[in-house]
Amino acid sequence: MATGRVDIVEIGDQGPHRPRRTGSAISAVFLLVVALGLTERLSDRELPRPAPVVTPAPVHHPAGVTTNAVHPVPEGTGDTRRLRVTFPDGSRAEITYPTDLNLAALGARPYAAGFLDGDDGFRPLTAPLYGEAEISAGRPMIRRLTDDASLWPGPPGVDDAGPVILFEFGDRRLALQDGRAGMTFDQRMAWAEHLHGTLTPDGFLTLSAGGPLRLSRPGEVRDGVLVGPQLWFGGLSRRMLVVAPVAGCGRRGAVVLDPRHAIRGSTCRDGFHLAASGDERFVRTALRHVGVRAP
């Protein structure tokens, strides 16, 4: 249980309670941890699955709301394309892929994690697919913490999920989901004041931290979960590809995704972990023919 000054979240000004409804244009569901180890095969059913992690995810694309992703400009002609990408820690890579995978059109979103001194573990930082519209789900903000961070109610209908801190870095949004135990006021302010984000000229979000906050290192694994910096391609369709730099390919881990995008296969080579979901052809092609190398 977190100790320190308690941040009392006022919810009385959010209007009368209404029965929960499903199928709204802007709604939220929770993410679960889907675990598969680093493996050259398309599946490994014997690996243990870590405990679920609750974070919001969209159900429908709200009308007039753009996705919270960067669409890098591909290079090359013919059957192969190249993308130059930047991970949240600032490291860069070149991705080559078969043209028909269309990774650039899927869009890329950052994933990272961090922890505060004295806190009980890493907390994931995810880029909600529909940005603020997804986090708000039609509800008002609880309060602004800093110029770059605000506090919002947790996902509707998820009783054990606390409020969400939403960071605003340029036109990119990054969400920190609180857990059941909750954070104190001081902990929330530490996150809000010490997490910094910068956009590269081509639109990728890079993160830095100071004070009591530390961000995860490439390839870092905590409690069986890969918490190092990653890029998630996709999310609007069934197809997704996770690309994460790792220190080596001998350590097993898991990735965090929306349950609608359950990982169907993963591999690790040349210092990068790849995990894919979607139709069988997409998964097989991505894992066999996507190449990633540091510049």
Side-chain angles (χ1 to χ4, degrees):
M1 178 70 69
T3 59
R5 287 187 290 167
V6 177
D7 188 10
I8 300 175
V9 177
E10 299 291 343
I11 60 174
D13 59 351
Q14 296 181 24
H17 294 286
R18 296 180 175 89
R20 292 173 181 166
R21 302 170 62 185
T22 59
S24 59
I26 303 176
S27 60
V29 296
F30 60 88
L31 290 178
L32 299 175
V33 169
V34 179
L36 281 176
L38 301 178
T39 174
E40 297 295 334
R41 295 174 296 173
L42 290 182
S43 63
D44 190 342
R45 301 299 183 184
E46 298 180 358
L47 292 177
R49 294 179 181 268
V53 172
V54 178
T55 48
V59 175
H60 300 294
H61 188 175
V65 177
T66 58
T67 56
N68 182 34
V70 59
H71 295 268
V73 178
E75 302 174 358
T77 58
D79 296 333
T80 303
R81 294 288 187 271
R82 297 188 306 275
L83 294 179
R84 301 182 190 277
V85 301
T86 304
F87 293 93
D89 66 334
S91 61
R92 295 186 61 82
E94 181 181 89
I95 300 176
T96 58
Y97 61 96
T99 300
D100 59 0
L101 288 186
N102 212 9
L103 292 186
L106 290 179
R109 292 176 288 150
Y111 169 94
F115 78 100
L116 295 171
D117 291 342
D119 202 354
D120 57 358
F122 275 87
R123 296 180 185 271
L125 291 158
T126 60
L129 184 58
Y130 302 127
E132 184 176 306
E134 176 180 319
I135 296 301
S136 69
R139 302 162 300 171
M141 178 195 304
I142 295 173
R143 67 168 63 92
R144 182 158 289 282
L145 302 174
T146 65
D147 289 344
D148 297 330
S150 53
L151 190 67
W152 294 81
V158 183
D159 295 333
D160 58 353
V164 178
I165 299 178
L166 184 66
F167 297 91
E168 307 162 24
F169 301 126
D171 58 357
R172 297 285 175 262
R173 300 294 181 264
L174 204 63
L176 173 66
Q177 173 69 60
D178 207 344
R180 176 184 297 179
M183 286 188 283
T184 65
F185 174 79
D186 290 340
Q187 288 172 329
R188 286 192 179 123
M189 290 305 301
W191 272 98
E193 292 172 348
H194 294 291
L195 181 67
H196 310 292
T198 303
L199 294 182
T200 66
D202 49 356
F204 288 92
L205 178 63
T206 61
L207 301 172
S208 60
L213 177 62
R214 182 176 80 80
L215 296 177
S216 55
R217 298 180 296 271
E220 190 161 353
V221 176
R222 298 283 292 217
D223 298 326
V225 178
L226 183 63
V227 297
Q230 306 165 26
L231 287 176
W232 293 359
F233 287 87
L236 184 59
S237 67
R238 292 178 55 236
R239 295 180 169 185
M240 283 194 72
L241 177 67
V242 177
V243 181
V246 295
C249 288
R251 193 172 184 184
R252 303 170 76 84
V255 294
V256 180
L257 282 182
D258 185 324
R260 294 170 303 151
H261 298 91
I263 293 298
R264 295 192 58 190
S266 61
T267 188
C268 186
R269 58 177 176 269
D270 302 325
F272 289 91
H273 170 69
L274 303 176
S277 69
D279 58 272
E280 182 177 354
R281 180 175 178 275
F282 175 83
V283 172
R284 288 186 178 275
T285 302
L287 297 183
R288 290 178 179 178
H289 300 294
V290 169
V292 190
R293 66 178 185 84

